[in-house]
Amino acid sequence: MCWCLCDSKRYDALHIEKLNIKDFRNLEGIELQPSARLNIVTGSNGQGKTSLIEAVYVLITGSSFRSGVDSDLVRKGSQGYQLACWYDKGGRSLDATLVCDLLSGIKKLKINQKKASFNHADRLNLVCFTPDDLFLVKGLPGKRRAFLDFLLSQLSADYSAGIQQYRSVLKKRNEFIKSGSFSDKIREGLDPLLVEQAARVILARVNITSMLNNIVQPLFQEFDPAGEGVAMKYAVSFQVDGVRINQAVLEQSMLARLGSDREKEAVLKRTLCGPHVDDVHFYYNGQNARLYASQGQQRSLVVTLKIAEIIAFYRVKQYYPVLLLDEVLAELDDEKRGRLLTYLANAPFQSFLTSVEEIDQELPEQTAFYSMQEGRLTAAG
């Protein structure tokens, strides 16, 4: 199988050289020096495999994909957790530590021993798959918007700031609508700010969706040769007037829609159009994948989308992020499992994969195998 990741022959990838986890979930203390390629962690349910993946995710993003409350992440009987890793980024050796102390309420990230934010330029970057990602195709639009926002926020600090500004203006606007005090004067001052930020967010989302679509289309055929053609398209929540989408056209079109929605907004007490209600549509063989693709076809599409996310990240940043895959094999048949494992084992980026089932497939020597039992990680054969 040949999945082309980029046109360049020079591969650059983030990779974790050493990982320390203390008092996180059921993990009392783990020290790991992972492979720069594929790392497979097996074990029964409830042993701590997902907690290992989650710890890396929390260290990189500051939050969990399972729980938004730090007290849920602390090992029973402890007052906090500590996460640390040493990693290579562009040939530079860096370290990151995250300490959470429930007693003091302090949660602090340091990069190279200096206090840092989770938007720091030297932070690790990631792509993550969890079983909940299967709802990317069949779930609510909010999950698809969050998918794009997470990727774009890692690619661009400006996007991260822009989406926050949009949400701030949107919140103020909705508060005025709900209170019944949204006067013409306030509207004239607030709406131009809203549509300016909205247009920037939409343009970024449209561009990244187009890039992902161009990657997903050929990639899906290699991952699932028996599958039909797939596609994805960004769906704006208001009519766009004009042949080409640009900043000015989007601003004018959204302003017009906001004007026509005044009565409906007053009744429903919220803003009815904008990036917060846009969507991404997936298509399988020309039809809406949410309605017409089978469960297996949707799974294949989501896994392919995660690989496409890695490739898109490389094309923009010229280096690969770390890939985290929690129980992805359980969603695939034997043939697709074999294809995915072969690809990951030979890919130029670092990945961590958890599985309930033992892996009996022959993989390259650089593949590392581990076993997790009752929160203890040991190297396997």
Side-chain angles (χ1 to χ4, degrees), residues 132-141 143-144 279-284 288-295 297-303 305:
D132 285 345
D133 283 319
L134 295 174
F135 289 94
L136 270 173
V137 174
K138 64 182 180 181
L140 296 174
K143 191 162 186 65
R144 292 183 284 277
D279 200 355
V280 179
H281 294 162
F282 292 96
Y283 299 92
Y284 185 87
N288 190 317
R290 182 174 64 85
L291 301 175
Y292 295 100
S294 69
Q295 186 86 345
Q297 290 162 347
Q298 290 181 9
R299 289 170 178 171
S300 295
L301 177 53
V302 171
V303 174
L305 183 62

Side-chain angles (χ1 to χ4, degrees), residues 145-325:
R145 292 192 295 268
F147 164 75
L148 293 182
D149 289 342
F150 183 83
L151 173 57
L152 284 166
S153 292
Q154 290 196 97
L155 292 175
S156 168
D158 287 342
Y159 183 86
S160 182
I163 189 66
Q164 292 302 324
Q165 290 171 6
Y166 172 77
R167 289 167 180 163
S168 177
V169 178
L170 177 66
K171 181 179 179 181
K172 290 180 181 178
R173 190 177 192 277
N174 284 339
E175 288 172 351
F176 281 119
I177 295 174
K178 290 176 183 177
S179 67
S181 59
F182 198 25
S183 65
D184 288 344
K185 184 177 181 180
I186 295 174
R187 182 185 293 272
E188 289 172 3
L190 206 56
D191 281 6
L193 295 176
L194 184 75
V195 300
E196 180 183 2
Q197 294 300 331
R200 291 174 180 170
V201 169
I202 291 171
L203 282 174
R205 287 182 179 176
V206 167
N207 289 336
I208 198 66
T209 301
S210 177
M211 179 183 288
L212 288 168
N213 178 61
N214 291 335
I215 298 169
V216 163
Q217 286 182 333
L219 195 61
F220 186 83
Q221 290 298 123
E222 294 201 38
F223 180 69
D224 187 359
E228 303 289 341
V230 297
M232 58 188 294
K233 184 178 181 181
Y234 190 79
V236 182
S237 56
F238 54 90
Q239 181 177 337
V240 179
D241 298 322
V243 178
R244 299 186 65 180
I245 293 180
N246 57 40
Q247 181 79 19
V249 167
L250 285 170
E251 289 184 24
Q252 294 168 6
S253 299
M254 186 172 170
L255 267 177
R257 171 64 185 273
L258 290 174
S260 65
D261 278 348
R262 294 180 70 163
E263 292 184 3
K264 289 182 180 179
E265 288 181 344
V267 173
L268 298 174
K269 306 297 184 184
R270 66 180 186 276
T271 304
L272 300 177
C273 71
H276 63 290
V277 288
D278 289 352
D279 200 355
V280 179
H281 294 162
F282 292 96
Y283 299 92
Y284 185 87
N285 197 23
Q287 295 181 303
N288 190 317
R290 182 174 64 85
L291 301 175
Y292 295 100
S294 69
Q295 186 86 345
Q297 290 162 347
Q298 290 181 9
R299 289 170 178 171
S300 295
L301 177 53
V302 171
V303 174
T304 307
L305 183 62
K306 289 297 175 177
I307 302 301
E309 191 178 351
I310 287 267
I311 300 170
F313 192 102
Y314 179 88
R315 291 184 177 178
V316 175
K317 304 294 283 186
Q318 293 301 297
Y319 63 86
Y320 295 106
V322 174
L323 177 61
L324 308 177
L325 297 159

Side-chain angles (χ1 to χ4, degrees), residues 7-18:
D7 297 328
S8 172
K9 293 182 179 180
R10 184 174 66 89
Y11 294 131
D12 289 320
L14 285 172
H15 70 271
I16 296 172
E17 297 173 336
K18 183 179 178 181

